[in-house]
Amino acid sequence: MEGMSSHPLTVGFDLDMTLIDSRRGIHAAYQALSAETGTYIDADLVVTRLGPPLETELAEWFPEAEIPAMRDRYREIYPTYAIEPSTAMAGAAEAVAAVRRLGGRAIVVTAKNQPDAVRHLVHLGIEPDAVIGWLWAEAKAEALREYGASVYVGDHVGDVRGALTAGALSVAVPTGPISADELRAAGADVILTDLTEFPAWLEGYAAGVAAGA
């Protein structure tokens, strides 16, 4: 287990709608799955509620017994349809770079499966120090604790819960499906408009830590 002693500043980031805008790509992947299976899926609705695990969304469209097969098929077609159309959120690369500039370590902790998370980041040229997939909400605390993260940045109330469970500062950006008021009510410690505000905030936070604030 790697702790904070060797990396005094470790910042975790969520992926979908925090670092990347994956709506167009996910929309295309669900449309392809719908066409292939003949099952109606409202892809417009799907992309308004990104964040929870894939199985949660599939359960809205498929019987429980079919979910494992649909999950596997979705993941098979995902790289074909979803990587290219997805874009970086404003300030994403700069936010990761800001952590490095202060001598820290940036990690990505996401509910998305790890291989696809890595594909997105490589495609967009965003290079965190580690990518940990398969973790949602409170389960994100596992990775945040393992890597000694003192800050976790996300767009969903599940991200807030993960940060608080880990004892990390919850920094929230209302760039996904959840409003600033909802994020604040969930317990977020800091609300930023988007990641373009993160580097300046991080400098102030790091200065406070250094000063023992």
Side-chain angles (χ1 to χ4, degrees):
M1 180 177 295
E2 298 180 84
M4 293 183 67
S5 58
S6 58
H7 293 275
L9 175 63
T10 297
V11 176
F13 292 91
D14 176 50
L15 184 66
D16 291 298
M17 303 311 299
T18 298
L19 286 177
I20 70 169
D21 185 344
S22 51
R23 289 174 295 184
R24 286 180 58 205
I26 289 173
H27 190 282
Y30 272 103
Q31 283 190 317
L33 185 66
S34 177
E36 182 178 300
T37 61
T39 298
Y40 172 73
I41 299 174
D42 186 344
D44 291 337
L45 178 59
V46 169
V47 298
T48 67
R49 53 192 186 197
L50 301 182
L54 171 61
E55 292 85 352
T56 302
E57 185 61 50
L58 291 173
E60 298 289 333
W61 312 105
F62 295 96
E64 184 177 356
E66 295 180 18
I67 291 174
M70 292 303 100
R71 175 198 62 208
D72 293 346
R73 182 56 184 153
Y74 178 87
R75 287 179 177 153
E76 286 174 356
I77 65 176
Y78 188 93
T80 299
Y81 291 96
I83 303 300
E84 180 67 32
S86 298
T87 57
M89 297 295 284
E94 294 82 359
V96 172
V99 179
R100 296 256 182 73
R101 189 163 58 246
L102 292 172
R105 176 173 60 172
I107 65 173
V108 171
V109 184
T110 175
K112 190 181 293 295
N113 71 86
Q114 192 159 323
D116 285 334
V118 171
R119 289 185 183 100
H120 274 296
L121 293 164
V122 169
H123 176 70
L124 296 171
I126 299 172
E127 300 180 359
D129 295 282
V131 179
I132 305 94
W134 319 102
L135 298 177
W136 162 242
E138 287 82 358
K140 292 189 174 191
E142 299 170 17
L144 296 175
R145 289 194 190 106
E146 178 182 350
Y147 283 84
S150 56
V151 176
Y152 185 58
V153 187
D155 68 282
H156 200 282
V157 292
D159 300 324
V160 176
R161 299 204 308 266
L164 298 180
T165 301
L169 195 74
S170 172
V171 176
V173 285
T175 49
I178 310 299
S179 71
D181 287 343
E182 290 174 286
L183 292 165
R184 189 175 293 108
D189 298 295
V190 177
I191 306 286
L192 304 177
T193 302
D194 57 30
L195 288 182
T196 63
E197 297 180 357
F198 181 78
W201 174 84
L202 184 66
E203 286 190 16
Y205 167 78
V209 170

